[in-house]
Amino acid sequence: MRGVELRGRVEVVGETPRTGTPVEDLIEPERLFADKYMGGQPFRYDGRHGWLRLTPDHIISWDFARLQRRR
């Protein structure tokens, strides 16, 4: 089992819910999201979601894979 915890400041980017108003900071993230999860089709706005920008102050990660090897 692996995990990561990010703590920091969060700000909303663009309108919430996201309806497609052009936002320069979202052009690339929405293109990458569409390429990965929408088969390269244009990004679809469903009017239910928004984008957040996290500026981390603290990052914690863990990996319990080594514990299984000790058994």
Side-chain angles (χ1 to χ4, degrees):
M1 184 161 84
R2 298 175 185 160
V4 64
E5 177 181 323
L6 303 166
R7 293 183 184 193
R9 294 173 306 283
V10 174
E11 62 182 294
V12 175
V13 180
E15 79 278 13
T16 305
R18 184 91 173 103
T19 59
T21 301
V23 176
E24 183 70 28
D25 287 349
L26 295 177
I27 292 171
E28 185 68 3
E30 289 177 344
R31 184 191 66 76
L32 292 169
F33 188 95
D35 285 349
K36 184 170 185 175
Y37 298 108
M38 299 175 177
Q41 299 296 315
F43 189 84
R44 291 185 306 273
Y45 304 98
D46 62 8
R48 299 181 305 170
H49 299 90
W51 288 93
L52 302 174
R53 176 182 292 126
L54 170 67
T55 304
D57 294 326
H58 194 70
I59 302 172
I60 301 170
S61 64
W62 60 90
D63 181 356
F64 296 134
R66 293 186 313 177
L67 294 178
Q68 285 187 328
R69 288 186 226 136
R70 291 183 182 172
R71 290 182 179 185

